[in-house]
Amino acid sequence: QVQLVESGGGSVQAGGSLRLSCAASGFTFSSYWMGWFRQAPGKEREGVAFIYTQSSSTYYTDSVKGRFTISQDNAKNTLYLQMNSLKPEDTAMYYCARSTYGAVRWWAAASEYKYWGQGTQVTVSS
């Protein structure tokens, strides 16, 4: 079955960096949309960064453009999120997700993603 396991979260000071990893199994990694979402306490889940693994095309929400980079390693079936210049407002639980199908109508919509990891906490202090 499909499994997504995130790692790499932690606590850093503002301006610091973290790299999140998502180990995927149970499906052909290079055939779906993969994304990182985050959810802060009391807030809705927000799409952060997305990649179409077949072409490696990437998309980002405006608040992380230029600071975060999503990437994939097909040989390791692993998705990454490199986060630089972290800000306190980046504090959230971060989730890796896989699209339900190979195509999506809107890459940032959580409803397009059926499979989710358990999440990894990122805390940025000022």
Side-chain angles (χ1 to χ4, degrees):
Q1 72 275 26
V2 174
Q3 285 194 319
L4 301 171
V5 180
E6 301 99 331
S7 61
S11 297
V12 296
Q13 290 193 326
S17 298
L18 284 173
R19 187 175 82 155
L20 306 184
S21 299
C22 172
S25 61
F27 64 99
T28 303
F29 187 70
S30 58
S31 299
Y32 295 91
W33 284 81
M34 298 289 296
W36 289 96
F37 290 79
R38 65 186 180 187
Q39 188 166 22
K43 294 189 176 181
E44 291 188 358
R45 188 166 295 192
E46 173 191 27
V48 175
F50 301 86
I51 189 166
Y52 181 45
T53 56
Q54 199 167 78
S55 65
S56 297
S57 298
T58 59
Y59 304 87
Y60 301 90
T61 192
D62 285 347
S63 62
V64 307
K65 282 180 182 176
R67 300 189 299 122
F68 290 12
T69 303
I70 188 171
S71 63
Q72 64 190 85
D73 184 330
N74 290 348
K76 295 182 178 180
N77 282 0
T78 301
L79 182 74
Y80 300 101
L81 184 67
Q82 178 66 43
M83 305 186 295
N84 298 328
S85 302
L86 283 161
K87 304 176 180 180
E89 51 263 44
D90 294 318
T91 294
M93 185 73 79
Y94 282 70
Y95 299 90
C96 167
R98 196 212 85 175
S99 62
T100 306
Y101 305 108
V104 298
R105 287 167 293 182
W106 175 234
W107 43 264
S111 59
E112 298 278 11
Y113 296 81
K114 179 178 180 180
Y115 301 97
W116 296 80
Q118 81 288 351
T120 186
Q121 178 68 38
V122 172
T123 302
V124 185
S125 58
S126 57

